[in-house]
Amino acid sequence: MGTRQEISALPPEADLARADSLAREIFSDVANKWAFLIIEFLGQRTMRFSELRNEVGGISHKMLTQNLRMLERNGLVERTVHPTVPPRVEYTLTEAGSGLRAVVDGMCGWTQRHLGHIEASRRRFRDPAG
């Protein structure tokens, strides 16, 4: 994955097959509506679990927990536990998570720029006679 120039700049020992496989795994993990929303909101500021749940309307406790764990496992979110009683837990995007947020923002911009074309194509697909 990447441009020819990016690939040619890699050291000879770079394992492109492994990198491609990892990229596919990460895309598969984060390609859901909840992960994108979590990334978007955490990109604005560090949040506690309850704050994040309130911002991401409609997400269940279980789904938020699963997505935060997946994002943390992939190095996109950092979880910080403060030693207080009760413990205070905060979530923030890592540098990699912020980079992914920029990509997601780019995808949203692309969608906005091509919205009319996409909607027209979908209408034609549903109604080939029209």
Side-chain angles (χ1 to χ4, degrees):
M1 307 209 44
T3 66
R4 286 187 191 160
Q5 185 177 7
E6 290 170 333
I7 291 171
S8 65
L10 292 172
E13 67 274 9
D15 186 344
L16 298 180
R18 198 171 105 242
D20 184 58
S21 175
L22 181 60
R24 290 172 196 269
E25 286 179 36
I26 291 172
F27 294 157
S28 175
D29 280 350
V30 301
N32 73 71
K33 68 178 180 180
W34 299 124
F36 282 157
L37 288 171
I38 291 166
I39 289 167
E40 182 60 32
F41 286 114
L42 287 180
Q44 296 170 12
R45 64 184 173 87
T46 297
M47 292 186 187
R48 295 177 70 173
F49 186 93
S50 58
E51 292 175 296
L52 190 54
R53 186 168 178 207
N54 290 337
E55 291 290 331
V56 182
I59 192 168
S60 69
H61 185 280
K62 178 182 176 183
M63 191 57 61
L64 180 55
T65 299
Q66 288 175 348
N67 274 273
L68 285 168
R69 286 181 182 159
M70 174 272 298
L71 292 167
E72 185 179 8
R73 181 181 66 247
N74 283 307
L76 304 172
V77 167
E78 183 177 309
R79 178 179 184 263
T80 303
V81 180
H82 298 277
T84 59
V85 178
R88 190 177 87 231
V89 180
E90 294 179 327
Y91 298 89
T92 191
L93 286 185
T94 63
E95 183 179 338
S98 293
L100 180 58
R101 182 179 184 229
V103 171
V104 171
D105 287 348
M107 291 171 58
C108 291
W110 174 87
T111 303
Q112 290 171 352
R113 286 189 303 278
H114 299 282
L115 184 62
H117 171 77
I118 294 167
E119 288 176 335
S121 294
R122 288 180 172 187
R123 281 191 301 274
R124 282 192 307 274
F125 187 81
R126 280 193 305 264
D127 184 16

